[in-house]
Amino acid sequence: MAATGRDAPVQSATADREIVISRAISAPRELVFEAFTEVRHLSRWWGPEGFTTTTRAFEFRVGGEWDFVMRGPDGTDYQEWITWTELAPPERIAMLHGETRDDPNAFESVLTFEPDGAATRIEMRTVFPTKELRDEAVEKYHAIEGGQQTLSNLATYVTEIVRKGAEG
């Protein structure tokens, strides 16, 4: 008997425009969430391996903005801009991310923070305006590897905080 459309797995309407990255981090959810909410934390871990982040403006609230520059290992500066569209501490952050406030190619990201035993599972779901922009981010800017490295940097940063706290 031939399979019908009803038997096919359900796929999100945005699947061809999405990147989804997740990671378990050995730290409490509140701390992992806090690492995204305070500029003193963000500048210590944000970005892929070898990148640094310099913040020009930061206001963590719905409608607030984070204006920053990421410098790559080769010295190239990348202008970045984020505005937060939803905040539900310590469970969820939604944001719009582009090069500038008026960037027509800005993409939406939703981060969820779920308890996973003593750890936290973070999921970063990014939806681009078009499949072509998603493909360009993956192929030209290595968005999947960069996202994985960023979450690895976050894990290293917050687990070090936990370790230092345990030491006294």
Side-chain angles (χ1 to χ4, degrees), residues 69-149:
V69 174
M70 290 175 53
R71 174 163 285 170
D74 65 355
T76 302
D77 285 343
Y78 300 90
Q79 168 63 43
E80 303 287 331
W81 174 87
I82 287 174
T83 186
W84 290 277
T85 57
E86 178 188 348
L87 302 174
E91 300 163 9
R92 179 179 164 99
I93 297 172
M95 58 190 175
L96 185 64
H97 186 160
E99 292 181 7
T100 62
R101 175 181 297 136
D102 301 321
D103 185 349
N105 298 327
F107 51 87
E108 298 175 4
S109 292
V110 175
L111 295 92
T112 55
F113 305 80
E114 293 293 329
D116 187 5
T120 302
R121 172 147 305 273
I122 183 169
E123 180 183 88
M124 188 165 45
R125 179 175 302 271
T126 301
V127 179
F128 292 82
T130 66
K131 178 186 182 313
E132 292 74 22
L133 286 168
R134 182 236 183 245
D135 292 348
E136 178 184 30
V138 169
E139 293 160 17
K140 183 177 178 183
Y141 298 107
H142 311 286
I144 294 171
E145 297 87 348
Q148 291 168 338
Q149 291 172 10

Side-chain angles (χ1 to χ4, degrees), residues 32-50:
V32 177
F33 188 90
E34 180 185 309
F36 274 90
T37 67
E38 296 184 18
V39 73
R40 69 186 173 93
H41 292 306
L42 283 163
S43 64
R44 303 283 300 279
W45 65 267
W46 182 269
E49 293 297 324

